[in-house]
Amino acid sequence: MPKRLLIAATLIAMIANPLSDVDAQGRRQRAQPVDLLVLGGVIVTMDQTRRVIDDGGIAITNGRIVAIGPRAEIERAYTARQRVSSVGKVLTPGLINGHTHVPMVLFRGLADDLDLQEWLTKYIFPAEAKNVTEEFVRVGTRLGLAEMIRGGTTTYCDMYYFEDAIADETAKAGVRGVLGETVIDFPVADNKNNAEAMAYVERFVARWRGHQLIIPAIAPHAPYTVSEQHLKAARAFSDRTGAPIVTHIAETKREVEDSVKAKGASPVAYLDRIGFLNERVIAAHMVWPQDSDIAILQRRGVGVVHNPQSNMKLAAGVAPVPRMLADGVLLGLGTDGAASNNDLNMWEEMDTVAKLHKVFTGDPKVISAQQAFELATIRGAQALHLEKEIGSLEVGKRADLLIINRDTLNQIPVYNIYSDLVYATKASDVETVIINGRLVMRDRRLLTLNETAVKTEARAFRDKIIRSVSTPGTQ
Ligand SMILES: [Zn+2]
């Protein structure tokens, strides 16, 4: 920000929210009590001006940021029972994983090096048919949540079965989630037909609507696994309840070719034709949109989630990310399920998104480190239609933030903060995680999950899963 603007902004902030402990009459003012103060370090706000505060502080109350600015001013104006020192560290918004199937961490590495159709139909669908129970989902979710918190993910968008149990585990762990119960046109673990699935979604959304952390959603799997009638019913449900719609669109070339043959239109054009797309839809993958599709996505305000590592691993292709960004599509970043990744690490996704598109286009400037960081924070929030609540560190937003160690060998020295975050920082550098104003990890120790128990329970599923499928090359 230019210096003059910065001075003006500081003056306005001081008038609106007196940061001095002495008022206009020279009387000493009492510091305002808040729940939590985080003091010291470099704050990467990701606000509209992309302000970076060198020695900053954040005041938090009722789960929201009430003040952010230079540390000395925050310290003078606010007092709190709980204080966290972040001197010498970096503070950033929590990362947003825009697409997961969180319990699938239990299938991590079960069947690798296959294309999507073979992977899905020969291994994943059968493994799910034989193993997915509410207990499986709870154990897998706890493992996934522990991994995500350790890597600085504070919000994730999920699609799976028994999503009510996922919501329960997520709320208990203190993590924010847009959680979609799957609707698919074949019998699955928790629902045998569409009527059962819609009844489940009805109860699920009613139970969690208005929760501070959980945003319940409906998740019709994809346009090729859900009929037109059922897609329209999902949209009608979303219209009635305001629930977001989580889905997969245009993941493979074959999906697009089949759609053109069967429906006379690309998946995006078909979904638009049947009135499915709007500003509550969150569409994962979008590897193969046609040029005209990109304009539709932009016009309808659809959130798109790019999953570079999953797309690379299944050889699905390379999504036209630079084009979608240039055309104003709301775009975020995700890992996809750990069975096709094989982790839930958003630092790797940021690094990959920047590098993949450079090598694919032959242009090293095509996605910058800052853009990659935006995709995992503020742009990710836009893709989930949550940019008013999360994605940046600003007064009024939810207090979802990370304290990152800068003293690791891989980060020394730092010349550019975004380069450091995207190309050099590792998930293990995240030290402390705050979600909705609550500490969920402090100094690398998980505070809401028992890590030893999470690991033991998850390992216990391995043998049962192996016995249930014949897997190539496993021993
Ligand atoms: Zn997916």
Side-chain angles (χ1 to χ4, degrees), residues 99-101 104 159 221 247-248 251 284-285 307 310 336-337 340:
H99 185 62
T100 63
H101 309 278
M104 292 183 82
M159 173 201 288
H221 175 264
T247 190
H248 298 105
E251 182 171 0
H285 298 302
N307 303 274
S310 169
D336 205 354
S340 58

Side-chain angles (χ1 to χ4, degrees), residues 97-109 112 119 124 128 147 157-160 248 251 284-285 307 309-311 313-314 334-345 349:
N97 189 343
H99 185 62
T100 63
H101 309 278
V102 69
M104 292 183 82
V105 285
L106 294 179
F107 296 138
R108 189 194 320 259
D112 288 337
W119 176 78
I124 296 304
E128 286 184 330
E147 184 184 352
C157 178
D158 197 65
M159 173 201 288
Y160 211 60
H248 298 105
E251 182 171 0
H285 298 302
N307 303 274
Q309 288 201 343
S310 169
N311 297 158
K313 187 158 175 278
L314 292 164
T335 57
D336 205 354
S340 58
N341 188 301
N342 290 357
D343 56 38
L344 302 173
N345 183 337
E349 298 302 323

Side-chain angles (χ1 to χ4, degrees), residues 96-99 155 157 178 244-247 278-284 301-306 325 328-334 374-388 390-391:
I96 298 170
N97 189 343
H99 185 62
T155 295
C157 178
V178 178
I245 300 176
V246 178
T247 190
N278 71 357
E279 71 294 337
R280 282 191 306 277
V281 174
I282 301 160
V302 172
V304 171
V305 179
H306 175 45
L325 281 175
V329 174
L330 305 173
L331 194 69
L333 204 55
E374 288 170 356
L375 287 168
T377 55
I378 187 63
R379 286 182 186 274
Q382 289 164 354
L384 300 188
H385 314 295
L386 288 175
E387 70 280 2
K388 289 195 177 77
I390 58 170

Side-chain angles (χ1 to χ4, degrees), residues 144-222:
L145 286 166
E147 184 184 352
M148 284 195 282
I149 294 170
R150 278 201 164 285
T153 291
T154 56
T155 295
Y156 74 111
C157 178
D158 197 65
M159 173 201 288
Y160 211 60
Y161 312 106
F162 298 103
E163 203 70 34
D164 188 65
I166 296 176
D168 190 41
E169 295 296 337
T170 304
K172 280 188 202 153
V175 174
R176 196 179 303 289
V178 178
L179 306 177
E181 168 68 14
T182 300
V183 173
I184 195 163
D185 285 353
F186 54 79
V188 289
D190 54 347
N191 295 300
K192 298 301 159 219
N193 55 49
N194 184 259
E196 279 186 29
M198 293 304 283
Y200 184 111
V201 170
E202 193 81 55
R203 288 193 305 275
F204 168 59
V205 169
R207 178 175 172 199
W208 293 98
R209 197 160 43 189
H211 192 277
Q212 290 226 341
L213 292 169
I214 306 301
I215 297 156
I218 183 166
H221 175 264

Side-chain angles (χ1 to χ4, degrees), residues 415-456:
Y415 296 103
N416 174 294
I417 192 73
Y418 297 108
S419 292
D420 175 53
L421 288 167
V422 170
Y423 299 129
T425 302
K426 306 295 169 197
S428 53
D429 296 332
V430 177
E431 272 188 359
T432 294
V433 176
I434 296 169
I435 305 177
N436 213 48
R438 178 187 184 193
L439 282 152
V440 296
M441 180 169 81
R442 186 160 192 182
D443 299 327
R444 296 297 293 158
R445 199 165 67 82
L446 296 177
L447 301 177
T448 56
L449 288 155
N450 178 338
E451 189 168 338
T452 310
V454 164
K455 287 180 187 170
T456 307

Side-chain angles (χ1 to χ4, degrees), residues 59-347:
I60 296 163
T61 233
N62 292 327
R64 290 188 188 269
I65 296 170
V66 292
I68 179 166
R71 169 166 62 137
E73 293 175 6
I74 299 291
E75 231 176 342
R76 265 204 305 275
Y78 297 92
T79 175
R81 255 173 300 131
Q82 195 171 25
R83 294 159 74 100
V84 174
S85 170
S86 42
V87 174
K89 324 249 179 204
V90 177
L91 277 70
T92 71
L95 304 181
I96 298 170
N97 189 343
H99 185 62
T100 63
H101 309 278
V102 69
M104 292 183 82
V105 285
L106 294 179
F107 296 138
R108 189 194 320 259
L110 175 67
D112 288 337
D113 310 327
L114 299 165
D115 70 37
L116 179 71
Q117 279 311 313
E118 195 182 358
W119 176 78
L120 210 53
T121 54
K122 275 200 188 156
Y123 299 98
I124 296 304
F125 286 155
E128 286 184 330
K130 288 175 192 152
N131 293 288
V132 176
T133 60
E134 185 177 330
E135 179 61 10
F136 170 99
V137 162
R138 283 186 183 273
V139 169
T141 300
R142 289 197 287 266
L143 179 64
L145 286 166
E147 184 184 352
M148 284 195 282
I149 294 170
R150 278 201 164 285
T153 291
T154 56
T155 295
Y156 74 111
C157 178
D158 197 65
M159 173 201 288
Y160 211 60
Y161 312 106
F162 298 103
E163 203 70 34
D164 188 65
I166 296 176
D168 190 41
E169 295 296 337
T170 304
K172 280 188 202 153
V175 174
R176 196 179 303 289
V178 178
L179 306 177
E181 168 68 14
T182 300
V183 173
I184 195 163
D185 285 353
F186 54 79
V188 289
D190 54 347
N191 295 300
K192 298 301 159 219
N193 55 49
N194 184 259
E196 279 186 29
M198 293 304 283
Y200 184 111
V201 170
E202 193 81 55
R203 288 193 305 275
F204 168 59
V205 169
R207 178 175 172 199
W208 293 98
R209 197 160 43 189
H211 192 277
Q212 290 226 341
L213 292 169
I214 306 301
I215 297 156
I218 183 166
H221 175 264
Y224 62 93
T225 49
V226 184
S227 70
E228 180 175 333
Q229 186 199 345
H230 293 161
L231 288 169
K232 284 178 172 169
R235 167 64 198 265
F237 174 82
S238 167
D239 287 346
R240 180 161 57 78
T241 60
I245 300 176
V246 178
T247 190
H248 298 105
I249 305 178
E251 182 171 0
T252 63
K253 205 172 177 184
R254 184 173 148 191
E255 177 191 336
V256 176
E257 287 164 359
D258 289 352
S259 176
V260 169
K261 256 187 250 157
K263 302 179 177 101
S266 70
V268 171
Y270 156 70
L271 290 170
D272 195 42
R273 190 175 74 202
I274 67 167
F276 181 81
L277 300 177
N278 71 357
E279 71 294 337
R280 282 191 306 277
V281 174
I282 301 160
H285 298 302
M286 205 61 74
V287 179
W288 296 98
Q290 299 180 352
D291 284 356
S292 51
D293 292 341
I294 293 175
I296 294 173
L297 295 169
Q298 191 273 336
R299 200 166 59 241
R300 298 288 181 216
V302 172
V304 171
V305 179
H306 175 45
N307 303 274
Q309 288 201 343
S310 169
N311 297 158
M312 288 164 73
K313 187 158 175 278
L314 292 164
V318 179
V321 164
R323 172 78 195 277
M324 287 195 277
L325 281 175
D327 288 2
V329 174
L330 305 173
L331 194 69
L333 204 55
T335 57
D336 205 354
S340 58
N341 188 301
N342 290 357
D343 56 38
L344 302 173
N345 183 337
M346 287 298 291
W347 299 93

